Amino acid sequence: MLSERGSFMKGMVLGGVFCLVLSLLGSFSPITESKTEDHHHHHVKAASKDELQQLSESRLQELNNQLQISCVIMVQPKNLVYWAAALDTWTKHCDKAEFYTSESSKALEAIDLNEKDDWARLHKALKHAYENAGNIRWFFVAQPSTFAIIENLKYLVLTKNPEQPFYLGKTVKSGELEYVEFNGGIVLSYEALKRLVNVFQDEDKCPERQSALWKLSEDKQLAVCLKFTGVFAENGEDVHGKGLFNSRSVDNLISESMDQNPNNVVKGCCSDMAITFSSMSPNQMQVMMFGVYRLRPYGHDFQDILTFYPPKGSDND
Amino acid sequence: MKPLASRFSFYVGFVVGTVLLYVILRPVWFEGIQLAGNYGKLSDRQQQLDKDKGIWKKERSALFNLDHPHHTGEDSRMADELYNKVRILCWVMTGPNNLETKARHVKYTWSRHCNIVIFMSSVEDPDFPTVGLGTKEGRDQLYWKTIKAFHYAYEHHANEADWFLKADDDTYVIVDNLRWMLANHTPDEPIYFGRRFKPYTKQGYMSGGAGYVLSREALRRFVEGFKNKVCTHTTSVEDLAMGQCMEKVGVLAGDSRDTAQRETFHPFVPEQHLTAKFPKSFWYWSYCYYPISEGSNCCSDVSVSFHYVDAGGMYLLEYYAYHLRAFGYRYRYQPPTPKAYRLELSNSLDSAGELKEGTSGVKEHGDDDLPRPDQGQDAGPPPVVGKDAAAAPV
């Protein structure tokens, strides 16, 4: 009996020591951390200045000439003010901007898909965009309350080959599925869109209409369909690893940074080369147009290796 | 039997020991991290003071900028040149209750671009630091504070700056653009700039909230004026009183608009100037000296100031002005190089510019829209965008 107790105590002590050693090693700790995302996280970064300078001038010109963005904006008459704001602001910088609506509106022109279901509408719009792509090899899908800086998107994909499948944006993990948040804008290369349109034909893998019982949001459904074709979501980041696609408004992000980094609010907030912000009011979009395309401090030049010119016929940029 | 039983108890003990320690450690660990966090907060103030040492040199309640902010990858030769040649002392009107809620955000954003910044309060605070002007607080004290603040600046720093800017703790100033505007003038001119208002005075006066800047000569005359009793505390309406004094001592009310006639000093936030439709009965319409433009023509690309900017707004404007940009974008409006700086920098910049023309990719996009250096405005009225806004606060 005594020896059993003794053994028990010895066992307990050793067990305790074992636990301590393990937690000190850090391979597991009493605090649960979600370390699951690390090695499955895909990042896509823009080419650095050095990398761009390695390219010959003719190659750079070639890349620039071929680089065109087709913007697919999903609108509805109920958010008419956002639709109008998008039309008047950032979409002017797209090489092609097409508005797809759920139902026609007398106020503004768009391609009327006559479809109330969110996923079915996106499905139709993407198919239409693919069929009418022409020479354009990059597609940017957005909602009207998203503001996008197309020049920064071009910078991100400049050296990426659109014949490769790219599916970029602000990535979020939901269980096992990693998808691009619709709010932050979705970027698809020609190859990714081509594969998507192909898998559209498979009603089992990628139904045009989801069952009423198992409805996924349209951005998740997109990820599911793309996954079947071997295309995975990747997070768009700048050279410092900061996300370029934001699913929140800039005011919101600044506010959060004031709480979290009170001594370094601006640098701790958002990338200098940010591509999208979401949930922006029409007025905030006008302010952002001014902030991005007009307001600047005199005497600070960047001498970027490429030049993008303002679109014809606009005056707020 | 016995050894088996004891071995079994050993294993059981081992498991119990592991689980027990895990359960014990979990809250302890957590608390430990919290404690570390608290310790972190205690040393925050110390960290802040240390960080400040790298940015400012504190001397006689003024902050002398050691190193105005630079961006990686930017060519700021022109900005640096102007920083050295057009020295600006910024003084910020604040009060003891506003230090942490307003003045602090000014301190960490735009005031870093001034050559010298002084925070003027009724009460001295050696840590922030603020100068104690010895007045009370309140709207009726505004001109008293202004008089004393300018006197302080003149007495202590007259030879350390060329221009003297007054701003509120809810004004955001893009100091680099102020230098561009002032670069075509000299500090010996009796002149002052701001958002020009027309009533009550012959030559107009400058809006207090939008900020205004005096040349060294204008400041000298202001101080002289009080010595000779030519200027007195006429009214507590600070900007008007200032305008009246300036007129009396022969200081000119300057035109601060850019070469496209767009305003640079703004009495409201960008959102209001860009999108609001002020009702015609609003005072703003009758006050502005120059014709008002609504929509995108309201504001110069090289705007100098905005008013009624809250804490978040300070950081947002800093982000928009100094950080967020469109890669490779060629701006429509190209502010002309100030005359005195054309010869000096033209050699180095031109050769760099020539190289640049060769390598930049040219898109067929907006070739006709390429502005000539002196032009900026595009034809046609701005589109009507934005909801009708309620009258802006006074």
Side-chain angles (χ1 to χ4, degrees):
Chain A
M1 286 295 155
L2 217 66
S3 65
E4 275 174 36
R5 210 191 184 161
S7 309
F8 183 81
M9 294 309 280
K10 272 187 224 163
M12 232 178 71
V13 169
L14 247 102
V17 171
F18 174 71
C19 178
L20 259 171
V21 168
L22 270 185
S23 43
L24 281 172
L25 284 175
S27 52
F28 98 96
S29 93
I31 307 298
T32 46
E33 278 171 41
S34 55
K35 290 190 173 188
T36 47
E37 34 195 62
D38 286 346
H39 24 269
H40 300 300
H41 210 68
H42 299 114
H43 319 256
V44 165
K45 291 189 177 168
S48 69
K49 199 167 182 175
D50 295 325
E51 284 166 23
L52 284 180
Q53 279 170 343
Q54 304 278 348
L55 298 170
S56 72
E57 197 209 307
S58 57
R59 175 76 184 128
L60 213 54
Q61 284 262 35
E62 199 190 326
L63 284 175
N64 192 8
N65 289 336
Q66 288 170 358
L67 181 54
Q68 290 189 301
I69 312 275
S70 174
C71 296
V72 173
I73 305 112
M74 308 298 295
V75 296
Q76 289 179 68
K78 71 177 183 188
N79 43 38
L80 199 67
V81 275
Y82 294 93
W83 179 347
L87 194 57
D88 188 52
T89 58
W90 63 269
T91 58
K92 290 196 178 136
H93 292 248
C94 306
D95 295 278
K96 179 174 169 192
E98 208 71 84
F99 290 77
Y100 295 89
T101 179
S102 55
E103 53 185 309
S104 66
S105 157
K106 290 207 180 83
L108 293 170
E109 268 184 44
I111 295 175
D112 183 7
L113 299 172
N114 198 14
E115 180 65 70
K116 289 274 156 64
D117 179 73
D118 291 336
W119 166 245
R121 204 162 65 242
L122 183 60
H123 190 283
K124 286 184 179 170
L126 288 173
K127 191 150 178 281
H128 185 270
Y130 175 71
E131 283 160 7
N132 295 281
N135 289 327
I136 302 188
R137 291 290 169 269
W138 288 98
F139 302 84
F140 175 67
V141 193
Q143 292 165 320
S145 61
T146 301
F147 187 101
I149 302 169
I150 299 296
E151 289 80 6
N152 291 345
L153 175 53
K154 287 189 174 177
Y155 179 49
L156 178 67
V157 300
L158 179 65
T159 52
K160 315 284 183 280
N161 184 1
E163 306 298 328
Q164 292 288 311
F166 282 99
Y167 165 41
L168 315 171
K170 175 165 197 272
T171 53
V172 171
K173 215 163 157 79
S174 167
E176 278 304 310
L177 181 71
E178 192 158 15
Y179 68 99
V180 169
E181 261 196 277
F182 202 177
N183 262 348
I186 305 172
V187 181
L188 293 167
S189 67
Y190 186 75
E191 176 61 24
L193 187 57
K194 182 168 158 191
R195 292 192 193 182
L196 182 69
V197 170
N198 278 339
V199 83
F200 277 166
Q201 293 169 15
D202 188 335
E203 271 294 312
D204 292 319
K205 287 194 179 136
C206 191
E208 185 174 349
R209 223 154 278 278
Q210 299 165 329
S211 69
L213 292 169
W214 191 251
K215 259 197 190 283
L216 286 176
S217 61
E218 67 266 53
D219 45 8
K220 284 187 190 147
Q221 181 64 69
L222 181 66
V224 168
C225 291
L226 280 169
K227 210 167 170 184
F228 279 122
T229 70
V231 181
F232 298 94
E234 292 181 288
N235 201 42
E237 294 169 5
D238 70 8
V239 71
H240 305 289
K242 259 206 201 141
L244 293 169
F245 297 88
N246 296 293
S247 56
R248 293 153 66 183
S249 74
V250 66
D251 302 55
N252 199 287
L253 289 162
I254 295 260
S255 240
E256 186 183 71
S257 193
M258 283 170 73
D259 276 332
Q260 292 183 347
N261 323 295
N263 298 329
N264 215 351
V265 178
V266 178
K267 285 204 180 122
C269 164
C270 321
S271 174
D272 287 10
M273 309 304 294
I275 297 175
T276 59
F277 292 95
S278 183
S279 315
M280 304 275 291
S281 76
N283 284 355
Q284 287 175 331
M285 288 199 200
Q286 290 290 352
V287 176
M288 191 166 259
M289 278 304 273
F290 180 68
V292 173
Y293 295 108
R294 306 231 347 253
L295 185 69
R296 67 226 186 247
Y298 182 78
H300 297 259
D301 259 304
F302 282 91
Q303 289 166 6
D304 296 318
I305 211 159
L306 284 179
T307 303
F308 298 122
Y309 292 93
K312 284 184 197 173
S314 49
D315 60 1
N316 54 359
D317 56 8
Chain B
M1 278 254 161
K2 267 190 184 169
L4 215 67
S6 63
R7 189 178 283 179
F8 178 72
S9 335
F10 179 83
Y11 291 142
V12 172
F14 188 85
V15 171
V16 170
T18 311
V19 172
L20 207 67
L21 216 68
Y22 179 92
V23 166
I24 293 169
L25 276 182
R26 198 193 171 107
V28 170
W29 226 263
F30 195 65
E31 220 169 280
I33 287 175
Q34 269 216 333
L35 277 172
N38 285 339
Y39 183 72
K41 275 189 199 136
L42 280 173
S43 63
D44 255 359
R45 186 127 226 265
Q46 186 57 49
Q47 268 189 351
Q48 192 66 76
L49 293 170
D50 288 337
K51 187 182 190 238
D52 284 4
K53 279 189 205 139
I55 308 173
W56 306 109
K57 181 181 75 169
K58 195 167 37 161
E59 219 183 83
R60 297 167 270 141
S61 295
L63 292 171
F64 287 74
N65 212 329
L66 291 171
D67 172 29
H68 75 125
H70 284 91
H71 250 293
T72 36
E74 85 172 357
D75 170 14
S76 57
R77 278 173 297 174
M78 185 49 123
D80 290 343
E81 178 81 8
L82 288 178
Y83 181 84
N84 293 323
K85 296 281 172 62
V86 186
R87 299 169 304 165
I88 303 185
L89 180 150
C90 307
W91 74 261
V92 181
M93 173 100 83
T94 186
N97 295 335
N98 288 354
L99 293 188
E100 285 307 308
T101 52
K102 292 187 174 185
R104 179 204 156 80
H105 308 297
V106 168
K107 186 174 168 196
Y108 288 107
T109 57
W110 65 263
S111 72
R112 294 195 57 194
H113 304 270
C114 306
N115 298 74
I116 306 171
V117 63
I118 308 177
F119 290 89
M120 302 286 188
S121 170
S122 50
V123 174
E124 186 188 347
D125 181 324
D127 288 324
F128 192 87
T130 67
V131 164
L133 297 170
T135 60
K136 285 177 283 197
E137 286 296 325
R139 265 194 101 80
D140 59 324
Q141 299 292 304
L142 286 178
Y143 194 43
W144 279 120
K145 285 172 92 173
T146 305
I147 295 166
K148 286 173 187 270
F150 273 120
H151 276 76
Y152 179 94
Y154 186 72
E155 277 152 37
H156 293 90
H157 301 283
N159 296 320
E160 288 163 345
D162 305 307
W163 298 86
F164 299 80
L165 170 81
K166 175 261 170 179
D168 285 345
D169 52 18
D170 59 354
T171 309
Y172 185 90
V173 181
I174 301 168
V175 188
D176 294 79
N177 290 340
L178 180 58
R179 290 197 182 93
W180 173 79
M181 200 206 67
L182 297 175
N184 279 329
H185 299 271
T186 73
D188 302 316
E189 285 174 54
I191 195 167
Y192 78 127
F193 293 98
R195 170 62 85 110
R196 206 164 166 188
F197 283 163
K198 62 179 181 223
Y200 314 122
T201 49
K202 276 192 229 96
Q203 64 164 2
Y205 66 96
M206 305 306 173
S207 154
Y212 50 81
V213 61
L214 272 62
S215 67
R216 192 168 47 231
E217 175 59 20
L219 178 61
R220 192 194 67 77
R221 292 192 188 193
F222 180 76
V223 172
E224 275 290 300
F226 275 87
K227 211 163 85 178
N228 306 332
K229 306 260 196 292
V230 169
C231 292
T232 55
H233 185 280
T234 46
T235 160
S236 66
V237 182
E238 163 244 336
D239 43 14
L240 174 58
M242 190 73 199
Q244 288 169 338
C245 176
M246 291 284 101
E247 210 163 80
K248 284 187 198 137
V249 299
V251 172
L252 193 69
D255 179 357
S256 58
R257 296 175 301 168
D258 69 15
T259 54
Q261 266 77 60
R262 289 182 179 129
E263 294 274 13
T264 54
F265 288 76
H266 303 288
F268 303 114
V269 289
E271 185 172 332
Q272 281 168 320
H273 286 287
L274 289 164
T275 66
K277 298 268 171 292
F278 300 129
K280 292 294 176 184
S281 55
F282 188 46
W283 61 265
Y284 186 62
W285 290 100
S286 48
Y287 268 51
C288 284
Y289 192 92
Y290 301 109
I292 294 177
S293 268
E294 289 180 306
S296 50
N297 275 331
C298 69
C299 315
S300 171
D301 288 22
V302 287
S303 281
V304 172
S305 71
F306 294 98
H307 185 217
Y308 294 118
V309 181
D310 63 9
M314 293 277 170
Y315 298 107
L316 183 60
L317 277 168
E318 185 87 1
Y319 180 59
Y320 278 151
Y322 287 93
H323 292 263
L324 184 64
R325 66 188 191 91
F327 179 80
Y329 183 72
R330 184 153 206 283
Y331 299 104
R332 278 186 208 273
Y333 177 66
Q334 300 289 327
T337 312
K339 292 186 206 88
Y341 300 84
R342 278 182 204 158
L343 279 171
E344 282 180 52
L345 271 168
S346 64
N347 290 334
S348 45
L349 281 180
D350 268 348
S351 48
E354 262 160 49
L355 279 168
K356 202 173 63 153
E357 287 317 323
T359 52
S360 71
V362 178
K363 271 235 136 153
E364 287 313 299
H365 247 154
D367 280 345
D368 336 350
D369 284 341
L370 267 184
R372 293 197 292 277
D374 296 308
Q375 266 186 354
Q377 260 172 340
D378 296 297
V384 175
V385 174
K387 308 173 204 170
D388 283 339
V394 174

